[in-house]
């Protein structure tokens, strides 16, 4: 039972490990297959956000406050952003607002990543602030980047967050399995105890398995008890047959000695020729005939014993058909 619980515990750990591995493989697959489209969409959305800011009154000044908010929002989505003003925009902001605009400078680090950029061009309404620009000039570029290591970091954070609950879940399941197996395996342990007592030499055939119910273990206990009853009957019959064999063997040994004595007497008598001695020879022949008759009866008795032994063996190997 403890081996089963150990295997179940290890199996749960293996399943959890495989699940985390599948999630990691899914992260890599999504990064390679769908992340570029997500980055392109985010870059387009960022360009629209920047345009919306510029449409507001005092847009360039508001941008200095809103850009950090945008950075945090996109950072929460696992994306890095940059808003890079062009030279025309920088010169226009110096002349119109006396400020040196910086935008959001890109801080791109090394590592596998995907990137998308959208160029912002000047429209008629932009010329109110961008005094150095003309319609169609590039006012700046927005960039969005997605790094694989951020995906992996998010995956690892999820692993750490779920590790505690998963460990508790595995522990609870293992404990529940222990008590369930203990309740369900008790009949089997009882059967094992009975078989263990029988396996010590079959000296005592009295142990019987306890029948605790009508399930598979109960049926197994009934079958074992029925088998032991049959074995007990067979052993009793074999014991009786062996006693008969011992008695017949003793009788046969006695007859063999009598026969040897009778033959020796006949041999000695045959060497003599007197009439009185012939009468002795006749008595010896009668004794020999009696011995032969007893040996014939003994042979018939031995045949009966052999037949009884065959019947016992047949009963031992024969499986009764269920009624």
């Amino acid at each position: 039972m403890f081996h089963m619980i150990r295997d179940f515990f290890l199996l749960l750990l293996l399943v959890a490990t495989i699940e985390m591995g599948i999630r990691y493989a899914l992260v890599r697959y999504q990064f390679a297959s769908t992340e570029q489209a997500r980055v392109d969409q985010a870059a387009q959305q960022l360009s629209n956000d920047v345009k919306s800011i510029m449409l507001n009154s005092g847009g360039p000044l508001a941008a200095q406050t809103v850009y950090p908010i945008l950075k945090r929002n996109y950072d929460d989505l696992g994306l890095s952003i940059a808003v890079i003003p062009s030279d025309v925009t920088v010169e226009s902001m110096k002349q119109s607002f006396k400020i040196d605009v910086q935008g959001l400078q890109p801080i791109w680090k090394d590592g596998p990543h995907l990137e998308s950029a959208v160029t912002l061009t000047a429209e008629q309404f932009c010329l109110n602030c961008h005094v150095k620009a003309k319609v169609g000039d590039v006012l700046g570029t927005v960039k969005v980047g997605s790094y694989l290591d951020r995906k992996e970091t998010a995956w690892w954070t999820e692993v750490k967050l779920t590790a505690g609950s998963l460990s508790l879940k595995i522990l609870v399941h293992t404990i529940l399995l222990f008590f369930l197996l203990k309740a369900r395996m008790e009949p089997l342990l009882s059967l094992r105890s009975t078989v263990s007592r029988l396996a010590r030499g079959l000296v005592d055939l009295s142990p019987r398995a306890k029948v605790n119910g009508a399930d598979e273990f109960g049926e197994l206990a009934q079958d074992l008890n029925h088998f032991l009853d049959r074995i007990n009957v067979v052993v009793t019959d074999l014991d009786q047959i062996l006693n008969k064999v011992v008695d017949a063997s003793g009788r046969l040994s006695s007859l063999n000695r009598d026969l040897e004595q009778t033959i020796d007497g006949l041999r000695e008598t045959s060497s003599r020729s007197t009439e009185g001695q012939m009468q002795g020879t006749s008595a010896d022949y009668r004794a020999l005939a009696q011995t032969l008759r007893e040996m014939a009866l003994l042979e018939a008795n031995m045949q009966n014993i052999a037949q009884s032994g065959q019947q016992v063996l047949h009963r031992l190997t024969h499986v009764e058909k269920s009624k």
Side-chain angles (χ1 to χ4, degrees):
M1 183 173 64
F2 289 101
H3 292 291
M4 294 177 62
I5 294 175
R6 181 200 61 188
D7 294 341
F8 177 76
F9 180 78
L10 294 177
L11 179 61
L12 288 180
L13 288 180
L14 178 62
V15 169
T17 303
I18 292 176
E19 182 181 354
M20 293 296 103
I22 292 175
R23 289 186 180 182
Y24 178 75
L26 186 60
V27 167
R28 297 293 298 261
Y29 173 77
Q30 290 178 342
F31 185 82
S33 60
T34 63
E35 187 65 16
Q36 184 62 58
R38 176 171 174 262
V39 172
D40 293 340
Q41 183 179 1
Q44 189 62 48
Q45 180 62 44
L46 178 61
S47 67
N48 293 334
D49 292 339
V50 173
K51 289 180 181 179
S52 298
I53 294 171
M54 295 306 170
L55 285 174
N56 295 327
S57 178
L61 296 176
Q64 303 298 319
T65 304
V66 176
Y67 282 170
I69 298 176
L70 289 175
K71 184 176 184 303
R72 287 195 300 269
N73 291 339
Y74 280 85
D75 188 68
D76 292 338
L77 297 175
L79 299 172
S80 300
I81 66 172
V83 180
I84 306 171
S86 65
D87 293 339
V88 172
T89 298
V90 172
E91 294 297 328
S92 296
M93 294 303 103
K94 285 182 178 179
Q95 181 174 340
S96 299
F97 297 94
K98 309 301 180 180
I99 58 175
D100 186 12
V101 295
Q102 300 293 328
L104 287 176
Q105 294 300 317
I107 305 176
W108 307 123
K109 56 185 178 180
D110 295 333
H113 70 281
L114 300 174
E115 185 177 325
S116 181
V118 176
T119 300
L120 301 177
T121 58
E123 299 179 20
Q124 186 61 43
F125 71 87
C126 299
L127 301 182
N128 295 328
C129 297
H130 297 77
V131 294
K132 295 284 187 179
K134 296 180 294 184
V135 175
D137 288 347
V138 176
L139 301 181
T141 304
V142 297
K143 292 183 178 181
V144 177
S146 177
Y147 282 82
L148 178 60
D149 64 344
R150 297 192 67 175
K151 301 290 185 181
E152 293 175 338
T153 301
W155 168 80
W156 181 243
T157 301
E158 181 184 1
V159 170
K160 290 189 293 184
L161 290 176
T162 58
S165 60
L166 185 62
S167 300
L168 180 61
K169 183 178 179 181
I170 291 176
L171 180 61
V172 171
H173 286 178
T174 303
I175 294 175
L176 291 177
L177 178 65
F178 171 78
F179 287 107
L180 178 61
L181 287 178
K182 184 177 180 181
R184 297 297 298 169
M185 296 291 287
E186 184 176 357
L188 184 60
L189 295 177
S190 177
L191 285 175
R192 181 181 179 276
S193 176
T194 301
V195 173
S196 177
R197 291 170 60 187
L198 292 171
R200 294 174 184 173
L202 286 178
V203 177
D204 183 13
L205 295 176
S206 61
R208 292 294 183 272
K210 183 179 179 182
V211 180
N212 293 322
D215 56 3
E216 291 82 358
F217 292 130
E219 293 177 357
L220 179 60
Q222 291 178 350
D223 292 340
L224 178 60
N225 292 338
H226 180 63
F227 174 74
L228 291 175
D229 292 338
R230 289 171 55 83
I231 291 294
N232 195 32
V233 172
V234 170
V235 169
T236 301
D237 292 344
L238 285 176
D239 183 63
Q240 294 176 356
I241 291 173
L242 289 176
N243 289 333
K244 292 179 180 179
V245 170
V246 171
D247 294 339
S249 177
R251 180 58 181 161
L252 184 60
S253 177
S254 177
L255 291 175
N256 186 40
R257 289 193 299 270
D258 293 343
L259 183 59
E260 289 179 354
Q261 292 175 1
T262 301
I263 292 174
D264 291 339
L266 289 174
R267 187 182 297 113
E268 292 176 358
T269 304
S270 63
S271 63
R272 302 171 185 172
S273 59
T274 61
E275 184 177 353
Q277 291 172 342
M278 290 299 293
Q279 294 176 353
T281 300
S282 177
D284 290 336
Y285 273 113
R286 287 193 299 271
L288 178 59
Q290 179 64 27
T291 301
L292 291 175
R293 285 193 295 272
E294 292 183 2
M295 290 186 69
L297 292 174
L298 183 59
E299 180 182 2
N301 191 22
M302 292 290 289
Q303 289 179 352
N304 291 333
I305 294 174
Q307 292 177 356
S308 299
Q310 290 177 349
Q311 292 177 357
V312 171
L313 290 177
H314 179 71
R315 290 165 57 188
L316 181 62
T317 57
H318 177 65
V319 178
E320 293 182 353
K321 295 182 179 180
S322 60
K323 297 180 180 181

